[in-house]
Amino acid sequence: PTEARVFASCSTDKTVMLWDARGKKTPVMTVRGGHQDEVNVMSWNAQVTHLLATGADDGVWKVHDLRKVRRKTKL
C-alpha cells in the first residue's frame, strides 16, 4: 500500500507473488507454502505495510509477514 509501483497477485498454483511494475518480467518475491489450495483473495494491511492477508478455496486464511519471505531483489 505504500509503494506505488509494487503490486501483489494470487494464483491457483497456491502462491502469492509481489511484482515491481518498473519493467521487471519476473516477481520480486514469491510466497509459497502458506496454503494447500488455490489462493483467491488477499488484502494488504493498511496500518502495518509488511503484512499481507490471503485466503484460499479451502476456507483457510493466513497473514504473511513479508519481512520473513526471501526476496529475489529489493523492492
Side-chain angles (χ1 to χ4, degrees):
T2 60
E3 297 287 335
R5 291 180 171 85
V6 175
F7 66 95
S9 65
C10 56
S11 177
T12 60
D13 69 357
K14 306 172 191 168
T15 64
V16 174
M17 296 183 184
L18 273 66
W19 302 84
D20 186 336
R22 293 176 282 195
K24 309 247 190 299
K25 295 183 181 182
T26 59
V28 294
M29 182 184 300
T30 301
V31 180
R32 290 187 173 87
H35 291 284
Q36 299 300 314
D37 211 338
E38 298 177 3
V39 182
N40 53 25
V41 296
M42 66 184 157
S43 180
W44 291 104
N45 184 313
Q47 307 302 319
V48 184
T49 59
H50 59 268
L51 297 179
L52 181 70
T54 58
D57 276 351
D58 58 5
V60 174
W61 61 274
K62 304 270 184 177
V63 177
H64 306 275
D65 184 340
L66 299 178
R67 298 173 303 177
K68 297 185 180 201
V69 176
R70 192 170 150 191
R71 296 181 182 184
K72 290 183 180 179
T73 59
K74 291 189 176 187
L75 296 176

